[in-house]
């Protein structure tokens, strides 16, 4: 059994869906489970719908219309001359979404609401792709991944309940996947009260790894719009080059620091069972791309990871006392409560600073919370965080020349620079 994962960029239009079908055709006869993300930027649009719903904005009508137009246009293009019966299923999904957003929010919890709305992107896209494949005589079974990916109720960042997930996948999904090509969603799961949960943005890679782990897959292939894992995002670093082979532990570090090509949680389940991960281009499907495994040689070049739109919060005590263990305990518990994951942190005698991607809607709430607990907070937004992994001095100097460095950190072979 192999797992394929196609991200939003691979199904951004009708041409993309046809390309996915041709890649799957080329693998006909192999046992495959295929994870497909929401189409193009649909998740961002759905996030706007959540914001509009939560704040009661009338803009929601237009956003919903955009969502519909985008998907129906793809369906129309795919259907020309074929007429496969997907529209009815999509109508029903939109109806379900409309039923949710027509009733004012019953819940205060933004993250819960988010998880009931945003997953429609994956539900719609997998229905479209599955039906298109059928129209091309690629037999497949559409499966709702919420029946198999069992999580806790930490909305927007749900944790996998591994024993339950493994058990149900073995019992119910494995026999189906042995017989048929399976098409399913990434990113979404089911919480303890049967409510939909999500695993965090870009979480479909992680879903693919979960399926691979539970099904003891022979490999996972993530099909992307880049050639493979590069030593920098080619859109930000013009001199970026492909890394053909990568060790699990280097891949974990790179993903952790924010190399967006792989979701940070993806590698661990694969490493645990030595399942290789291939990252390949859907534009050039015959190229080899990158293989992440435990048989790779040492990484011999530096990797650059640039995170934009970072916010730095500098926290000090209002009564000028030192930042000691008790304060740190409180600070970390507030960060955990607000689900803020810091990218770097630093503390001195009287202040504690950290840099994170913080949802703007959350920054003020977080500042208020610190303030309520006796801290003073200074926030600076729109910063860039450059991480250089496997750094060599000469490359490093070039990359930060001419920039104002607000914070600098060195951990063995990894450097971090926070700049304006
Ligand atoms: N559609 C979700 C997102 O864009 C999940 C994913 O694509 O991995 O974040
Ligand atoms: Mg996506």
């Amino acid at each position: 059994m192999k797992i394929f994962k196609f991200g939003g960029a691979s199904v951004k239009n009708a041409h993309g869906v046809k390309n996915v079908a041709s890649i799957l055709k080329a693998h006909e006869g192999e046992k495959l489970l295929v994870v497909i993300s929401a189409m193009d930027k649909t998740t961002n649009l759905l996030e706007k719908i959540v914001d509009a719903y939560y704040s009661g904005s009338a803009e929601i009508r237009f956003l919903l219309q955009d969502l519909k137009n985008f998907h129906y246009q793809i369906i129309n293009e795919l259907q020309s001359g074929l007429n496969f019966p997907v529209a009815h299923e999509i109508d029903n999904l939109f109806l379900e979404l409309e039923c949710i957003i027509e009733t004012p929010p019953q819940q205060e919890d933004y993250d819960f609401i988010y998880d009931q709305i945003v997953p429609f992107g994956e539900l719609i896209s997998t229905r479209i792709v599955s039906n298109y494949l059928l129209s091309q005589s690629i037999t497949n079974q559409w499966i709702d991944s919420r029946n198999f990916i069992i999580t806790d109720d930490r909305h927007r960042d749900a944790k996998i309940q591994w024993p339950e997930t493994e058990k149900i996948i073995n019992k119910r999904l494995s026999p189906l996947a042995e017989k048929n090509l399976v098409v399913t969603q990434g990113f979404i799961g089911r919480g303890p009260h049967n409510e939909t949960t999500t695993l965090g943005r870009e979480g479909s890679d992680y879903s693919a790894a979960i399926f691979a782990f539970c099904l003891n897959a022979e490999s996972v292939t993530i099909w992307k719009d880049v050639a493979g894992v590069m030593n920098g995002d080619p859109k930000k670093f013009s001199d970026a080059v492909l890394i053909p082979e990568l060790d699990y532990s280097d891949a974990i570090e790179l993903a952790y620091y924010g190399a967006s090509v792989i979701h940070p949680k993806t590698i661990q389940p694969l490493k645990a069972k030595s399942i290789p991960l291939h990252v390949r281009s859907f534009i050039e499907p015959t190229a080899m791309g990158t293989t992440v495994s435990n048989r790779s040689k040492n990484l011999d070049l530096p990797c650059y990871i640039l995170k934009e739109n970072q916010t730095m919060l500098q926290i000090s005590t209002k009564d000028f006392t030192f930042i000691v263990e008790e304060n740190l305990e409180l600070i970390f518990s507030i960060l955990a409560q607000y689900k803020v994951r810091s990218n770097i942190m630093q503390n001195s005698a009287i202040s504690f600073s950290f840099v994170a991607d913080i949802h703007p809607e959350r920054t003020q709430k977080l500042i208020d919370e610190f303030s309520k607990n006796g801290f003073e907070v200074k926030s600076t937004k729109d910063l860039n965080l450059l991480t250089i992994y496997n750094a060599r001095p000469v490359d490093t100097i070039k990359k930060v020349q001419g920039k104002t460095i607000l914070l600098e950190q060195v951990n063995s072979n990894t450097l971090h620079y926070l700049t304006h």
Side-chain angles (χ1 to χ4, degrees):
M1 167 89 41
K2 289 181 183 162
I3 314 293
F4 279 6
K5 181 258 172 173
F6 291 95
S10 68
V11 286
K12 67 175 182 198
N13 51 30
H15 172 77
V17 176
K18 290 179 185 172
N19 184 48
V20 167
S22 80
I23 291 176
L24 294 176
K25 257 244 143 83
H27 290 268
E28 217 163 4
E30 294 176 34
K31 283 182 194 153
L32 285 180
L33 180 137
V34 183
V35 172
I36 296 166
S37 296
M39 293 175 153
D40 199 21
K41 305 274 183 280
T42 297
T43 305
N44 296 354
L45 181 54
L46 281 159
E47 285 188 339
K48 285 195 192 149
I49 291 180
V50 175
D51 283 343
Y53 175 58
Y54 194 71
S55 63
S57 158
E59 206 205 347
I60 197 161
R61 289 276 128 230
F62 303 106
L63 296 169
L64 184 68
Q65 200 51 51
D66 286 349
L67 186 76
K68 286 185 171 180
N69 293 347
F70 171 71
H71 286 98
Y72 283 119
Q73 154 119 29
I74 292 180
I75 293 172
N76 285 341
E77 273 178 54
L78 289 173
Q79 276 185 326
S80 66
L82 290 173
N83 218 12
F84 55 93
V86 67
H88 178 63
E89 286 173 8
I90 304 303
D91 291 346
N92 277 340
L93 284 168
F94 278 122
L95 188 65
E96 236 181 89
L97 177 58
E98 275 164 337
C99 289
I100 297 177
I101 63 186
E102 268 158 21
T103 334
Q106 311 286 308
Q107 272 251 15
E108 270 281 288
D109 183 0
Y110 182 93
D111 294 347
F112 172 85
I113 293 170
Y114 180 103
D115 280 358
Q116 310 319 304
I117 292 178
V118 175
F120 277 91
E122 337 292 299
L123 294 169
I124 295 170
S125 95
T126 49
R127 283 284 187 201
I128 295 176
V129 174
S130 166
N131 277 288
Y132 180 73
L133 295 177
L134 289 176
S135 79
Q136 299 300 298
S137 316
I138 304 175
T139 316
N140 72 90
Q141 183 156 1
W142 180 93
I143 272 175
D144 189 327
S145 63
R146 291 171 297 185
N147 291 327
F148 301 104
I149 304 292
I150 312 299
T151 72
D152 67 2
D153 60 358
R154 212 177 133 93
H155 286 285
R156 275 175 89 181
D157 188 22
K159 299 284 170 285
I160 303 301
Q161 307 289 14
W162 284 98
E164 288 91 326
T165 301
E166 232 185 315
K167 197 164 145 209
I168 188 122
I169 287 182
N170 274 319
K171 187 161 170 213
R172 303 252 177 252
L173 183 58
S174 187
L176 291 175
E178 283 295 323
K179 270 194 261 138
N180 274 313
L181 182 135
V182 169
V183 172
T184 194
Q185 312 76 40
F187 176 59
I188 67 177
R190 174 158 56 94
H193 310 290
N194 280 334
E195 73 285 25
T196 306
T197 54
T198 62
L199 310 180
R201 282 303 305 263
E202 308 304 334
S204 297
D205 292 1
Y206 184 38
S207 303
I210 298 164
F211 284 119
F213 179 93
C214 297
L215 291 165
N216 292 312
E218 119 194 24
S219 65
V220 173
T221 305
I222 300 181
W223 296 91
K224 308 232 16 151
D225 58 355
V226 290
V229 179
M230 321 233 347
N231 75 328
D233 179 346
K235 291 181 201 112
K236 296 173 187 165
F237 300 94
S238 56
D239 52 354
V241 293
L242 180 77
I243 307 172
E245 283 180 41
L246 198 57
D247 188 78
Y248 290 121
S249 49
D250 285 329
I252 288 174
E253 300 266 345
L254 289 175
Y256 175 78
Y257 292 129
S260 58
V261 71
I262 309 170
H263 185 274
K265 291 181 190 159
T266 308
I267 309 290
Q268 258 130 332
L270 302 181
K271 183 172 187 254
K273 288 198 175 172
S274 298
I275 300 170
L277 170 70
H278 306 292
V279 182
R280 296 174 65 178
S281 159
F282 61 76
I283 303 160
E284 258 188 276
T286 52
M288 284 315 292
T290 299
T291 297
V292 182
S293 70
N294 51 18
R295 284 192 299 273
S296 307
K297 52 182 184 356
N298 280 351
L299 186 63
D300 57 2
L301 72 180
C303 298
Y304 301 99
I305 300 138
L306 181 64
K307 288 192 143 197
E308 291 156 319
N309 299 322
Q310 300 291 296
T311 303
M312 174 165 66
L313 294 189
Q314 289 163 291
I315 302 165
S316 46
T317 55
K318 281 187 185 150
D319 56 5
F320 309 110
T321 51
F322 290 139
I323 295 275
V324 289
E325 283 72 10
E326 295 87 85
N327 313 112
L328 287 174
E329 192 182 351
L330 183 55
I331 291 171
F332 281 115
S333 75
I334 294 172
L335 292 181
Q337 185 194 336
Y338 281 77
K339 299 176 192 162
V340 175
R341 202 168 285 141
S342 108
N343 293 322
I344 50 170
M345 50 183 106
Q346 190 157 294
N347 74 313
S348 70
I350 50 155
S351 84
F352 172 84
S353 309
F354 69 90
V355 178
D357 309 87
I358 313 178
H359 196 275
E361 165 255 335
R362 211 156 279 210
T363 312
Q364 194 49 48
K365 283 193 189 153
L366 188 61
I367 292 175
D368 294 344
E369 186 72 32
F370 278 120
S371 182
K372 232 171 49 198
N373 283 281
F375 295 106
E376 212 142 69
V377 183
K378 184 174 163 234
S379 81
T380 320
K381 52 179 192 159
D382 298 332
L383 302 173
N384 293 324
L385 178 64
L386 173 67
T387 298
I388 308 178
Y389 179 70
N390 205 24
R392 297 185 299 208
V394 41
D395 312 286
T396 306
I397 294 161
K398 264 198 297 193
K399 291 287 190 267
V400 288
Q401 230 163 27
K403 305 216 165 96
T404 318
I405 298 171
L406 299 178
L407 203 152
E408 185 176 340
Q409 227 175 58
V410 183
N411 314 320
S412 72
N413 66 344
T414 308
L415 310 175
H416 304 279
Y417 295 99
L418 185 68
T419 62
H420 267 301

